[in-house]
Amino acid sequence: MYSKEHKDYLKKIKLHNLLVKISQIFILVFFLVIWQFLASTERINTFIFSSPFKVFETIISLYQNDDLIHHIWVTVYETLVGFGLGCLIGITIASILWANKFLFKVFDPYLTILNSLPKVALGPIIIIWGGANATSIIIMALLISVIITIISVHQGFTNTDENKIRLMKSLGANKWQIFSKLVFPSNIGTIMSAVKVNISMSLIGVIMGEFLTSKAGIGHLIMYGSQVFNLNLIITGVFILCIVASIMYYGVVLLEKKINSKWD
Amino acid sequence: MSVLKIKDLRKTYHTKKDEILAVDNFSFELNEGEFVAIVGPSGCGKSTILQMICGLDKKSSGEIEVPLNIKIGFMPQGDSLFEWRNVLKNCLLGLELTNNVTKENKEYVLNLLKTYGLKDFIHAHPNNLSGGMRQRVSLIRTLATKPDILLLDEPFSALDYQSRLAVSDDVYKIIKKEKKSAIMVTHDISEAISMANKVIVLSNRPCTIKNIYNIELENKSTPINNRKDKKFAYYYDLIWKDIDYHV
Ligand SMILES: Nc1ncnc2c1ncn2[C@@H]1O[C@H](COP(=O)(O)OP(=O)(O)OP(=O)(O)O)[C@@H](O)[C@H]1O
Ligand SMILES: [Mg+2]
């Protein structure tokens, strides 16, 4: 049993967190209400600024007439594939560069250049080479996430505690054992934060790709909206994107929590 | 019987900017069951000596002779426990790496853990242990591979003064009970005198042997009690004067 003081303390924290949640919801509701109010009273032009009701209507009509679920699925699918490949390839290359310092030194300047290059610039090239299809979009997403993954994961690997490496060597470990039993597990935290960045990076890549060329996807809806000057469609697209992005992000956060909870 | 013979050991580090002579002219012999402490100013090359003895660092010249049947175990600076493994798995690490996790060996490790007060923590993770417990786990991890000589690099440096005294007592008792020979590096003079039979005092870099003291206390007992011995202060003064602390 806790003391009364401790219970009060817990209550206070709970209250505080509740207040934060309420304020967050309030801001959203307030924003939507003001927006709708301005639109209904015709203080803003709904042709340009749309309105919450119109967004809602557009979602319903997209769902009924244009296979909204398919568009969402295409974007999610491309993002997840790009994300998965980005993590896998990035971590693999980081491991190889950790194991071979010579290779790392050789590739270091190229990685730096590729990292600072805005990958959008490569978009047209990828599409011309790879064709106007989902593969090109996935490559785009992959390119955006893979370089930064390599750099940050490799950084973590090389910062592994020197004393622990010495201990492993003194116990007779070979290089693979040092990697699999020490370097990799001690960097789960670094890897998870790279993974968290990656999911957003991949989505950026996919939307960029869908802007450039696509037959479906949320980016496609937004692009189509801008071509036919349908602001409703654009704003609805952005709104759906917000939801999809946060669901995917929290998915990764949940995964991270699950992995961390295994540790202690 | 001698379990380790070192003759004219020398180590030069080569870096881009400089060539650093870290150890020079270092000779000594470790006898079975002996506890030797090495003290010296910081950065003089103490860790380098231990690392050469257990083969983590190449020597530049000289000889390190270890009889064939003698095994060396190393305990690095700090406790270096793996946070993602529980206590038992940390202790089994060495056996796992050499594919020696047999039933007997596991039994041996479990026994060590039980004997040295870690029975209830076998499945706990290191971050739930006190500093002293962590140090004991670290020692048992090294003992698990059944070495004859233990090399300890500042084993207590991460602990506060109080636990340092208690843990050095524990570690000393374990090493004596398991009948191991040991070389311990420290820069704490009292720790060296209270634990060792022999104290080697090193000079500033390049580190050479300045003096070797055989510690002959009136009533040799555990490290904490040894600190109260009449001759403790005498050795302390001798060694203190030997070490150049003004660097
Ligand atoms: N890998 C290395 N490359 C170059 N110089 C090194 C290397 N390792 C150690 N040195 C140098 O050799 C000298 C001795 O280092 P060492 O770590 O053995 O000292 P130490 O006595 O253990 O010091 P401390 O009390 O700080 O632990 C230091 O001056 C250090 O800078
Ligand atoms: Mg050292």
Side-chain angles (χ1 to χ4, degrees), chain A:
Chain A
M1 263 334 273
Y2 295 125
S3 67
K4 186 178 173 311
E5 215 177 323
H6 190 72
K7 276 186 202 151
D8 286 347
Y9 167 79
L10 290 180
K11 229 184 244 164
K12 221 164 126 191
I13 288 188
K14 253 192 197 155
L15 198 72
H16 176 82
N17 290 344
L18 191 69
L19 218 63
V20 170
K21 278 264 144 52
I22 290 175
S23 310
Q24 285 168 341
I25 294 169
F26 176 76
I27 287 177
L28 182 69
V29 172
F30 181 76
F31 172 74
L32 292 176
V33 166
I34 290 288
W35 186 12
Q36 185 59 47
F37 171 76
L38 292 175
S40 308
T41 55
E42 285 177 15
R43 276 163 227 247
I44 54 171
N45 183 346
T46 54
F47 182 68
I48 304 283
F49 292 101
S50 187
S51 78
F53 281 132
K54 278 197 158 180
V55 168
F56 185 69
E57 275 168 24
T58 314
I59 290 178
I60 298 293
S61 100
L62 278 174
Y63 179 73
Q64 286 166 345
N65 310 325
D66 289 294
D67 211 353
L68 176 63
I69 301 300
H70 176 68
H71 287 291
I72 293 178
W73 166 244
V74 166
T75 298
V76 169
Y77 165 79
E78 288 164 347
T79 306
L80 290 182
V81 174
F83 163 77
L85 287 176
C87 293
L88 209 69
I89 296 174
I91 294 169
T92 308
I93 293 180
S95 313
I96 293 170
L97 295 182
W98 171 83
N100 191 327
K101 291 207 174 58
F102 178 79
L103 277 187
F104 172 69
K105 277 195 182 147
V106 171
F107 284 108
D108 190 23
Y110 295 108
L111 283 175
T112 313
I113 292 168
L114 282 177
N115 187 40
S116 44
L117 177 80
K119 261 66 74 182
V120 207
L122 298 175
I125 306 179
I126 295 170
I127 283 156
I128 291 168
W129 287 351
N133 51 35
T135 314
S136 290
I137 293 172
I138 289 171
I139 290 175
M140 193 87 177
L142 172 68
L143 262 184
I144 280 195
S145 62
V146 81
I147 307 288
I148 188 71
T149 310
I150 296 174
I151 292 176
S152 56
V153 173
H154 177 266
Q155 177 86 26
F157 283 173
T158 46
N159 283 342
T160 308
D161 185 356
E162 225 16 81
N163 278 323
K164 290 193 174 126
I165 293 182
R166 279 198 196 108
L167 173 90
M168 288 291 280
K169 283 185 183 160
S170 82
L171 292 172
N174 58 34
K175 195 136 196 172
W176 166 246
Q177 287 174 321
I178 292 178
F179 180 77
S180 62
K181 294 195 192 283
L182 169 60
V183 173
F184 191 84
S186 72
N187 277 290
I188 289 290
T190 320
I191 291 171
M192 282 319 294
S193 53
V195 165
K196 256 193 321 207
V197 174
N198 267 359
I199 192 78
S200 318
M201 288 290 180
S202 298
L203 189 57
I204 294 174
V206 164
I207 297 301
M208 247 160 50
E210 287 179 351
F211 277 5
L212 291 172
T213 172
S214 61
K215 294 175 192 75
I218 303 171
H220 172 79
L221 288 181
I222 295 172
M223 203 57 202
Y224 177 74
S226 93
Q227 275 160 5
V228 300
F229 216 74
N230 181 346
L231 268 296
N232 264 330
L233 189 52
I234 299 177
I235 291 173
T236 305
V238 172
F239 179 75
I240 294 170
L241 198 54
C242 271
I243 293 171
V244 169
S246 34
I247 288 176
M248 285 199 287
Y249 182 79
Y250 282 109
V252 174
V253 171
L254 224 67
L255 187 78
E256 183 188 26
K257 272 202 185 133
K258 207 163 181 183
I259 289 175
N260 280 344
S261 71
K262 263 193 179 168
W263 266 202
D264 40 42

Side-chain angles (χ1 to χ4, degrees), chain B residues 13 15 20 22 41-49 77 154 187 205:
Chain B
Y13 280 116
T15 62
I20 301 165
S42 83
C44 77
K46 304 181 293 290
S47 298
T48 305
I49 293 175
Q77 230 160 321
E154 309 212 19
H187 46 228
R205 223 186 57 222

